[in-house]
Amino acid sequence: MTVRIRKARPEDAEIAVPLIIDAIGDIAEQMTGEKDDEAVTKQLIQLFQQTDNRHSYLNTVIAEQEDGITGVMVLYSGTDAIELDANLVSWLREKTGEPIVIPPEARKDEFYIDTVCVNPYFRGHGIGSTLLEHAEKVARQEGFSKAALNVELEKEAAIRLYERIGYHIAEPWEIYSGNFHHMVKHL
């Protein structure tokens, strides 16, 4: 089957958001200020349908085949991350009244692949690799010489995939007290 990559649309939220949550796990609670699974999903759908934050449909691409949406990827520049996260911090502070801090996930000179998730039923068919190839193409078009992503230390299969396609572990990274490998590929 042929995989087609397209820009996300607001109406993709119901299918894309559960995949995003699958990829980011507990970080979804930090991004939404919610603890309950249903509330997390509802808030991420709202964020996805907005235009001013990292999980907006504007920063998301969809992989689809005849069977529908098979994967999702969120990507943006390290420079854009500053404004996207500032908007998210303002929203969260207004919502919770708490002094929110979102840790940086990329360097300014990197094109950042925030989230990649393939529907479990379609894993192992090259969809993740196709999404990553698309991210690298976009990065080059936007003038970046590096693509970067963070991966949890225990996600060994994902680390092997990233290494196989040219990423290397550049440094340890911490996001919300979680330990990650910051992986970079020179384009």
Side-chain angles (χ1 to χ4, degrees):
M1 281 194 189
T2 302
V3 177
R4 187 173 76 95
I5 307 296
R6 65 167 172 83
K7 290 187 171 279
R9 300 181 290 257
E11 58 269 20
D12 294 323
E14 296 288 331
I15 297 172
V17 165
L19 292 172
I20 292 170
I21 292 170
D22 185 29
I24 67 175
D26 294 341
I27 292 174
E29 294 177 6
Q30 303 293 329
M31 291 288 146
T32 62
E34 300 290 347
K35 298 285 183 209
D36 174 71
D37 290 346
E38 189 174 314
V40 167
T41 300
K42 181 179 178 184
Q43 290 297 291
L44 265 179
I45 287 172
Q46 179 183 343
L47 289 170
F48 184 90
Q49 293 175 331
Q50 294 175 349
T51 60
D52 64 350
N53 67 86
R54 67 167 61 195
H55 286 294
S56 168
Y57 70 94
L58 294 176
N59 303 314
T60 305
V61 295
I62 300 293
E64 63 183 1
Q65 295 176 286
E66 295 170 5
D67 299 327
I69 294 174
T70 56
V72 63
M73 180 172 59
V74 178
L75 62 162
Y76 43 85
S77 75
T79 304
D80 288 345
I82 296 166
E83 181 179 347
L84 295 170
D85 287 349
N87 293 338
L88 189 56
V89 164
S90 294
W91 178 78
L92 282 166
R93 284 182 180 164
E94 185 176 312
K95 177 182 173 178
T96 66
E98 300 291 324
I100 304 294
V101 175
I102 296 177
E105 294 186 23
R107 302 208 178 281
K108 290 180 185 178
D109 66 336
E110 297 171 337
F111 192 78
Y112 185 56
I113 302 165
D114 181 302
T115 306
V116 179
C117 188
V118 175
N119 181 313
Y121 299 110
F122 297 96
R123 290 181 183 159
H125 295 97
I127 296 168
S129 295
T130 301
L131 284 164
L132 291 166
E133 288 170 13
H134 177 80
E136 294 164 13
K137 176 182 167 189
V138 172
R140 282 187 211 93
Q141 288 171 344
E142 293 196 16
F144 285 86
S145 61
K146 291 191 290 187
L149 51 84
N150 292 307
V151 61
E152 293 165 297
L153 304 181
E154 65 274 5
K155 291 193 173 178
E156 295 174 10
I159 293 166
R160 283 192 304 274
L161 166 66
Y162 301 143
E163 288 177 333
R164 189 171 61 247
I165 62 173
Y167 287 80
H168 69 277
I169 297 171
E171 61 189 303
W173 205 274
E174 187 176 308
I175 304 171
Y176 294 115
S177 301
N179 294 316
F180 292 77
H181 290 305
H182 188 70
M183 300 186 75
V184 174
K185 180 176 182 178
H186 294 276
L187 305 173

